Amino acid sequence: MSPQLEPQSRPGGVANATPPTGAQRGFRALVMALIAVFHPRVARSRGNDATTQIAGDSAVVTVPSDDVGPLDDAGLPRHGPCIVVANHPSGLLDPVVLSLALGRRFAFLGKAPLFANPIGRFAMGAFDGVALARRQDGGDESEGRRRNEQTFAACRSMLVAGTDLALFPEGISHDLPGLAPLKTGAARIALSAVAQDSGPRALSIVPVGLLYESKQTFRSGVSCAVGAPIDVVAFYKANGDGAEAVRALTDLIAERLRAVVLVAESRAVWQGLCTVAALTAAPGPADLGARHRRALLLAEGFAALSARDPAAADALVRQTLDYLAMAREVGLLDPEDAAAPRLIETQRPKALRVIATSLSLLLLAPIALLGALLCWPIYRVIGVLAAKLAAGDDDVISTYKLLGGMVLFPATWLAQSVVVGVALGGTLGAATLLLGPLAGAVALRWGERVAIRRRALRAGWLRVTRAPVAYALAARRRELALAITAALADDQARR
């Protein structure tokens, strides 16, 4: 998709407790412009349908039919504000991805330590962040509760003003193969907002599942699956806003999230679901959104098959592992991305397409080389710093890369233009300032296209040197896809 630079909420704008200053608005515009050039590949899709019945801990609550009215192209309700609730695999990158994928500007809650210094407060305020005190952040507990009530009051005010919120109810950013236990904050904010006399007449909670190809890799893809909305006003009218209602709404949010978030019992099973989704994908260009939806269906079907017929499930696992072992042995599998391992295709590419792409790469090579010279050193510095600051915590490394890029890339381009301007004149200095980001973008795309050509050459080499094995494995892949599809379809029919 083509992300908008400034996704717009409906009338009312972003009613933050502390509106962004002119400097913060300028900073946000700069960051969004950089993201428009260097943004990750975002795939948006509708997730699986969710159920509409749920039992609370000590009472069965009523879950009315969720008729939230017409939806926009992203699957969000057109009328009234909404609260997007999502899993949280990649720190501060997640709210930016939501804004890009869903085409709206969201206010979001951030942990209080992010606001503890002037730089953090400036950056979080620029993106409509609101501080949330967590128990694990330390400090006086009663003071934390008081500050959180202020935060919830600010959220209610924003919803009344028509502002959309993005919340991460797990409360932590993590690398688990599924969902962490949900906090009750999203349910409390939603129910307390509609319980007010001046509360919004329409309010929806929309579950969203994020799936990154490789969140440590710059510009890797991310899928954003939008699930079935929850009509908060109807839920409140049926159940009120007491403690039981809060717990039940939290459980309902968790159920809707599980319909769009890939959940597995272990990291190995999670990786296996992603791999099988890639193996059984339809021929053609890679579509991470379609693979995300297929992985969700596979997870649901495999869990049911494992419970009903463990032997059949084990047989499918063995077939898949055997195929992958052989594919890796001959170089047919290119597992660069965690959520979307690439399978090197054995079809012959069209000659004219090969010639055209090769010629364009040749023509763009000088600009790409210039971009690499201007941007590659600081890009490497950002990677090293992010890895050091993350200290092995993969779920925040992309956050540090994002923050580093926000600051160091513009600073580098500005410094380069000043040096050139002093040495060669102001005109060349200004041209350097313009050329830096443009040449960097060309270098980035050039490198990605070279990687695609490299995989194509590897496929060609396989066809020449190990053709029988390559074609036999391609045929076995098709057979495996049919076996998996048939087994899951049979299990679905029996249920």
Side-chain angles (χ1 to χ4, degrees):
M1 68 173 268
S2 299
Q4 301 174 8
L5 289 188
E6 284 291 341
Q8 298 297 314
S9 58
R10 287 172 299 286
V14 176
N16 198 339
T18 305
T21 64
Q24 286 174 321
R25 288 194 295 270
F27 175 73
R28 178 188 172 93
L30 173 63
V31 170
M32 296 304 288
L34 290 174
I35 291 174
V37 176
F38 299 108
H39 68 86
R41 293 173 285 113
V42 178
R44 186 181 67 207
S45 64
R46 302 289 179 87
N48 299 337
D49 293 333
T51 60
T52 57
Q53 295 295 327
I54 191 168
D57 291 337
S58 58
V60 176
V61 301
T62 302
V63 181
S65 176
D66 293 307
D67 183 11
V68 297
L71 306 177
D72 64 15
D73 291 341
L76 303 183
R78 293 185 182 277
H79 302 310
C82 70
I83 301 174
V84 166
V85 291
N87 58 319
H88 204 9
S90 195
L92 289 181
L93 189 60
D94 293 337
V96 176
V97 166
L98 289 175
S99 185
L100 288 171
L102 303 180
R104 291 194 186 177
R105 181 170 176 172
F106 296 98
F108 69 98
L109 299 185
K111 56 187 179 182
L114 293 173
F115 297 78
N117 59 78
I119 296 176
R121 284 195 298 273
F122 179 87
M124 296 296 286
F127 284 87
D128 308 305
V130 181
L132 177 68
R134 306 178 305 168
R135 183 175 296 128
Q136 59 263 44
D137 296 328
D140 181 75
E141 187 171 342
S142 60
E143 175 63 16
R145 284 197 297 268
R146 184 188 67 80
R147 286 160 50 197
N148 279 348
E149 181 50 44
Q150 291 178 340
T151 297
F152 286 8
C155 290
R156 289 192 291 269
S157 297
M158 287 187 277
L159 291 172
V160 169
T163 297
D164 297 318
L165 298 181
L167 304 179
F168 302 96
E170 294 169 287
I172 56 171
S173 176
H174 65 83
D175 200 31
L176 300 173
L179 289 169
L182 301 194
K183 310 297 183 184
T184 60
R188 290 161 57 196
I189 289 171
L191 290 175
S192 63
V194 298
Q196 299 178 123
D197 292 337
S198 59
R201 295 183 178 180
L203 176 62
S204 305
I205 294 176
V206 182
V208 173
L210 297 175
L211 180 68
Y212 289 83
E213 281 183 327
S214 177
K215 60 188 179 181
Q216 301 92 345
T217 304
F218 184 54
R219 272 182 58 83
S220 63
V222 55
S223 170
C224 183
V226 181
I230 299 170
D231 186 341
V232 179
V233 174
F235 188 97
Y236 167 73
K237 289 179 179 179
N239 302 286
D241 62 342
E244 285 291 343
V246 168
R247 284 194 293 270
L249 182 54
T250 301
D251 291 342
L252 181 58
I253 292 170
E255 180 183 337
R256 297 288 171 94
L257 274 174
R258 282 192 291 269
V260 290
V261 175
L262 185 58
V263 177
E265 62 187 31
S266 68
R267 186 71 184 175
V269 173
W270 186 94
Q271 178 66 67
L273 291 168
C274 293
T275 301
V276 172
L279 287 174
T280 57
D287 182 347
L288 182 59
R291 291 185 184 181
H292 187 172
R293 295 191 302 274
R294 187 159 183 79
L296 292 171
L297 292 171
L298 286 169
E300 179 184 0
F302 185 76
L305 180 62
S306 298
R308 185 185 61 81
D309 191 347
D314 289 342
L316 282 180
V317 170
R318 286 195 301 272
Q319 290 179 55
T320 303
L321 292 177
D322 288 345
Y323 171 83
L324 293 177
M326 288 185 288
R328 288 192 181 95
E329 179 67 23
V330 301
L332 190 63
L333 183 66
D334 185 15
E336 292 183 359
D337 298 320
R342 294 184 176 93
L343 289 148
I344 298 173
E345 300 294 343
T346 55
Q347 293 86 355
R348 295 181 183 276
K350 295 181 179 179
L352 287 179
R353 183 178 180 185
V354 172
I355 294 172
T357 55
S358 300
L359 183 60
S360 65
L361 287 175
L362 183 63
L363 293 175
L364 290 173
I367 302 175
L369 177 60
L370 177 61
L373 291 173
L374 292 176
C375 301
W376 187 82
I378 194 62
Y379 169 73
R380 296 302 303 164
V381 168
I382 291 171
V384 171
L385 288 176
K388 185 175 181 60
L389 291 171
D393 191 358
D394 288 344
D395 61 290
V396 299
I397 193 168
S398 58
T399 296
Y400 288 120
K401 286 184 177 180
L402 176 65
L403 294 175
M406 287 179 184
V407 177
L408 295 181
F409 270 121
T412 298
W413 294 327
L414 182 60
Q416 290 168 345
S417 68
V418 169
V419 171
V420 172
V422 170
L424 302 176
T427 301
L428 287 177
T432 301
L433 183 59
L434 178 64
L435 190 60
L438 293 178
V442 171
L444 185 64
R445 291 292 296 134
W446 190 87
E448 291 173 347
R449 292 174 67 184
V450 166
I452 294 172
R453 289 291 92 207
R454 187 170 61 246
R455 288 194 293 272
L457 289 172
R458 188 186 305 174
W461 179 254
L462 282 172
R463 285 195 299 272
V464 172
T465 60
R466 309 187 72 174
V469 175
Y471 283 107
L473 277 173
R476 185 160 181 177
R477 171 193 171 187
R478 291 190 292 270
E479 293 172 1
L480 178 62
L482 289 174
I484 292 173
T485 302
L488 295 183
D490 178 65
D491 181 77
Q492 181 69 29
R494 294 189 183 190
R495 285 187 285 159

